[in-house]
Amino acid sequence: KKLKPLVIFYTILLAISSIINIISFFFLTVYVSQVQLKFTDLPQVFTTSLASILVALLLSFVWSLLLHSYLRLFKAKGNFLNTYEVFVYSSAPSLLLSWVSVINALASLYGLYLLYLGTVIEHKLSKRKSLVAYLLLLAVLILYEALRTATG
């Protein structure tokens, strides 16, 4: 396994997602909101999209590193490349279907399932240990959000 094909695949996913979101934005802005867009707005939209793709690509490494460090607490056997691979493939459903809200929710759940399954396969964790790891992480995130919301 090599990093380059994963980075290329993830970049393509981000680009497709960005294109879909641009099309959705223009449709909602022009046809639904009846707002007139100027041709001069296009370069800014594309520049912002390109910047978003680059930031998301960089953040994919940060999130994968955090996930990898977390999984090591559970004695995960895989290396960082395994974690990055699981992250990239589990992100695909949500990135490709983010433009439809109901489907995006289902795609996100499927992505979480792929994350769980990829962890079992790539990190040689038992199904139970992998499930516990992600449920514990989910509980911590929910608790964090509840505390953050409660404190304003």
Side-chain angles (χ1 to χ4, degrees):
K1 294 178 195 175
K2 300 220 185 254
L3 183 62
K4 187 177 179 181
L6 291 171
V7 171
I8 291 170
F9 179 71
Y10 193 64
T11 304
I12 291 169
L13 285 175
L14 291 170
I16 291 169
S17 178
S18 187
I19 290 167
I20 290 170
N21 287 326
I22 288 170
I23 292 168
S24 298
F25 169 77
F26 279 114
F27 175 76
L28 290 173
T29 303
V30 174
Y31 293 107
V32 176
S33 302
Q34 300 288 321
V35 173
Q36 292 293 328
L37 287 175
K38 300 177 200 139
F39 187 70
T40 55
D41 294 336
L42 288 176
Q44 182 180 0
V45 169
F46 290 113
T47 303
T48 303
S49 295
L50 182 59
S52 296
I53 289 170
L54 293 174
V55 169
L57 185 59
L58 290 173
L59 286 175
S60 71
F61 289 101
V62 173
W63 287 118
S64 294
L65 182 60
L66 290 171
L67 179 60
H68 184 71
S69 300
Y70 177 72
L71 291 174
R72 300 295 283 173
L73 297 173
F74 292 87
K75 308 289 188 226
K77 304 234 183 327
N79 58 30
F80 175 78
L81 189 58
N82 297 118
T83 305
Y84 190 71
E85 180 180 31
V86 169
F87 174 84
V88 166
Y89 291 137
S90 68
S91 300
S94 188
L95 283 172
L96 294 176
L97 299 171
S98 63
W99 56 284
V100 182
S101 60
V102 175
I103 294 175
N104 183 38
L106 295 174
S108 295
L109 289 174
Y110 183 62
L112 289 173
Y113 172 72
L114 292 177
L115 188 66
Y116 156 78
L117 193 60
T119 300
V120 169
I121 294 167
E122 293 295 324
H123 288 285
K124 312 292 188 264
L125 281 181
S126 68
K127 290 179 180 179
R128 182 181 206 156
K129 197 179 260 192
S130 183
L131 184 63
V132 167
Y134 287 115
L135 288 177
L136 181 61
L137 184 59
L138 180 63
V140 168
L141 292 173
I142 290 170
L143 180 63
Y144 168 78
E145 186 59 28
L147 290 173
R148 190 181 69 78
T149 304
T151 59

